[in-house]
Amino acid sequence: MGTWRGLRVAFIMGSLFMILLIIVYWDDVGGFSLYPLKDPKHEVLQSGCCAPTTMSPPQTTPASRAHTTSSSIVSTTASSASFSPKEAAQEHTEEGKGKQNHAQRKEETKEDVEMEISAYDREQEARKKRIDDVCSGKEDVEVPERTRPFSQIPNRELDHLIVDDTHQIIYCYVPKVACTNWKRVMVVLSQSLISSSSGKPYTDPEAVPADLVHNSTLHLTFAKFWRRYGSLSRHLMALKLQHYTKFLFVRDPFVRLISAFRNKFGRPNQDFYRQFGSVMLRRYGNVSGDLPETAAEAFKAGIKPTFQQFITYLLDPETEKESIFNEHWRQVYRLCHPCQVKYDFIGKLETLETDAEHLLKLLKVDHLIRFPSGAQNKTAASWERDWFAQIPISTQRQLYKLYELDFELFGYPKPDSVLHQ
């Protein structure tokens, strides 16, 4: 029993001694670290402030022995890791130069980005100013719609203005100007199409089937506002035009016509063959007898409209007396009404990638989607000379007059046939 009591007393005394030792060590060091020797800052601090000094031998108490041992270890480690004053100064200078160079490179990169953004903003402002100048009559070009207010534009002529209320966007689509991919973007943003595989709305524009994206039921356009909102439709249109971000994309008018012809008449297309191709062949093709019933049969027999017949069809006054131009060759100013709608962003197919990147940032959706990669077989602007080589100069000039306002509004240069008249 006495032995057990003695052990308890010894254990208590030992515990008190350890507590005292910890208190003394804490008071000397001024802090506590589980790994004091592995802290680089601690090592540098020791080497920079603890020069060797002559000291009287310490008293040999347990606490002082513990502190001496710890200080000795730290001092030894710090000494082995220390540098001479010259080396330390050199390292400090090199470190300073490195930080200065890094900061300079960072500043130069920031300036480059700012210059790029500034240059692009200036380009956008120039495009918008060009439209303002033409619409206000500052340019020597006739503007049929200049004095007509938006409120007087019939609903049927507003069917190309697609509205996304969720993101407050209005997009005027122009056929043959990347409209398939921009419609894909609008479908994803509005979540108006459910994927048959996932059962959820599409999240990737590139995954949206091209044959479905042109289904008019997927898109809310201004032309549908009357059925949806009745007498409030025009008021709502005005509010959305004032507050939403509005954009469109354009391209060289003559190159757009080449693209439209290649797409609709350069390969069998039953709808366009029946509605337009057969008309061109009968009027301007000197075709005797009945035409084949289908586009496939006509192509197989070598019967198809030529580009010159297509141009003649466009210039024929009888064409629009029968029906309005198809959207694929209707002028942009008639599709999107840029003299009545003040667009916030004017994109061009010739600079599609750059414009798409900036536009998605402007719309604040660049973190949600990416613009789909473009088609590899798009009509090149360099083809214009070849396609128009067989078109008489006088006909080219007439065609230019038909599309002159699009050339002027969007800053496209006059064709050579017009410049050299």
Side-chain angles (χ1 to χ4, degrees):
M1 190 69 177
T3 303
W4 174 245
R5 183 177 297 172
L7 288 173
R8 289 179 63 186
V9 171
F11 177 77
I12 292 172
M13 293 299 293
S15 300
L16 290 173
F17 179 78
M18 288 301 296
I19 292 172
L20 178 63
L21 182 64
I22 290 172
I23 292 173
V24 172
Y25 180 79
W26 182 276
D27 185 62
D28 273 352
V29 175
F32 181 70
S33 173
L34 289 175
Y35 304 100
L37 301 183
K38 295 184 180 180
D39 186 351
K41 293 181 181 178
H42 187 65
E43 291 180 8
V44 173
L45 179 63
Q46 292 291 339
S47 63
C49 69
C50 300
T53 57
T54 304
M55 298 177 64
S56 59
Q59 296 180 358
T60 57
T61 63
S64 63
R65 281 199 301 271
H67 176 61
T68 301
T69 304
S70 174
S71 300
S72 175
I73 294 174
V74 173
S75 178
T76 303
T77 306
S79 298
S80 64
S82 64
F83 301 99
S84 67
K86 184 177 180 180
E87 290 173 335
Q90 183 178 358
E91 182 186 23
H92 179 73
T93 302
E94 291 176 353
E95 181 181 357
K97 288 182 178 179
K99 289 181 178 179
Q100 184 178 3
N101 292 338
H102 176 72
Q104 185 176 356
R105 287 195 300 271
K106 187 175 181 180
E107 188 65 27
E108 289 174 352
T109 303
K110 182 180 179 181
E111 289 178 359
D112 290 342
V113 171
E114 289 177 350
M115 287 178 62
E116 181 182 347
I117 293 174
S118 178
Y120 189 84
D121 288 343
R122 287 196 297 271
E123 172 64 23
Q124 272 297 315
E125 290 305 313
R127 293 178 185 180
K128 289 184 281 189
K129 185 178 184 302
R130 177 73 186 179
I131 294 175
D132 289 343
D133 289 346
V134 173
C135 291
S136 62
K138 293 181 181 179
E139 300 295 327
D140 186 20
V141 58
E142 184 180 352
V143 184
E145 291 196 351
R146 184 163 66 87
T147 59
R148 180 170 67 161
F150 181 84
S151 59
Q152 292 183 11
I153 300 176
N155 283 333
R156 65 178 180 276
E157 295 182 22
L158 300 175
D159 58 342
H160 283 66
L161 290 158
I162 298 176
V163 182
D164 171 24
D165 287 316
T166 303
H167 301 90
Q168 299 191 343
I169 298 169
I170 296 175
Y171 163 50
C172 184
Y173 73 91
V174 179
K176 309 315 302 173
V177 190
C179 77
T180 297
N181 281 337
W182 281 116
K183 282 184 177 181
R184 282 171 162 159
V185 170
M186 297 298 286
V187 163
V188 170
L189 290 177
S190 62
Q191 298 186 333
S192 58
L193 184 61
I194 305 298
S195 169
S196 58
S197 58
S198 66
K200 299 178 180 179
Y202 283 96
T203 57
D204 178 13
E206 205 154 359
V208 180
D211 58 333
L212 296 180
V213 79
H214 296 295
N215 187 332
S216 61
T217 61
L218 294 178
H219 307 286
L220 173 63
T221 65
F222 272 176
K224 297 178 181 178
F225 270 39
W226 177 258
R227 293 197 301 271
R228 177 174 291 198
Y229 303 113
S231 59
L232 292 175
S233 59
R234 287 289 171 167
H235 176 68
L236 289 173
M237 288 181 201
L239 286 176
K240 294 176 192 297
L241 286 173
Q242 182 179 356
H243 297 289
Y244 286 16
T245 303
K246 304 164 290 295
F247 76 94
L248 82 162
F249 271 75
V250 298
R251 75 189 298 183
D252 182 287
F254 277 10
V255 180
R256 179 174 169 241
L257 290 179
I258 297 171
S259 178
F261 178 81
R262 290 180 65 222
N263 181 250
K264 303 305 178 185
F265 305 109
R267 53 191 176 188
N269 184 311
Q270 183 59 30
D271 290 338
F272 277 79
Y273 170 75
R274 177 181 51 81
Q275 191 171 355
F276 307 106
S278 60
V279 175
M280 298 176 199
L281 289 168
R282 289 192 179 97
R283 285 184 184 174
Y284 323 113
N286 297 321
V287 177
S288 58
D290 294 333
L291 291 172
E293 289 292 327
T294 67
E297 292 173 346
F299 267 69
K300 189 175 181 180
I303 302 174
K304 54 186 179 181
T306 65
F307 186 61
Q308 185 166 350
Q309 291 166 358
F310 173 60
I311 299 302
T312 304
Y313 170 79
L314 297 177
L315 294 173
D316 190 340
E318 296 298 319
T319 299
E320 286 221 85
K321 287 181 181 178
E322 295 174 355
S323 64
I324 191 172
F325 270 0
N326 179 268
E327 62 178 2
H328 291 84
W329 46 83
R330 196 184 313 165
Q331 296 90 330
V332 176
Y333 79 87
R334 297 170 65 186
L335 294 172
C336 297
H337 315 285
C339 289
Q340 288 75 28
V341 177
K342 192 173 181 64
Y343 287 94
D344 303 290
F345 188 94
I346 313 296
K348 292 191 173 185
L349 191 71
E350 293 81 2
T351 52
L352 177 60
E353 292 184 4
T354 302
D355 287 350
E357 179 182 353
H358 282 84
L359 175 59
L360 292 179
K361 290 179 181 178
L362 174 67
L363 300 175
K364 296 181 173 59
V365 297
D366 54 309
H367 64 292
L368 299 175
I369 53 176
R370 293 179 58 187
F371 185 73
S373 56
Q376 299 299 315
N377 64 338
K378 67 180 181 182
T379 303
S382 59
W383 296 3
E384 183 176 336
R385 185 184 300 272
D386 295 334
W387 277 83
F388 280 88
Q390 303 303 318
I391 307 299
I393 296 297
S394 59
T395 303
Q396 293 185 44
R397 290 171 183 167
Q398 285 181 297
L399 188 67
Y400 173 79
K401 291 299 294 183
L402 190 61
Y403 290 89
E404 181 180 19
L405 190 51
D406 280 359
F407 275 98
E408 293 292 336
L409 281 167
F410 306 113
Y412 285 102
K414 295 180 179 180
D416 292 341
S417 59
V418 179
L419 289 173
H420 299 139
Q421 60 181 337

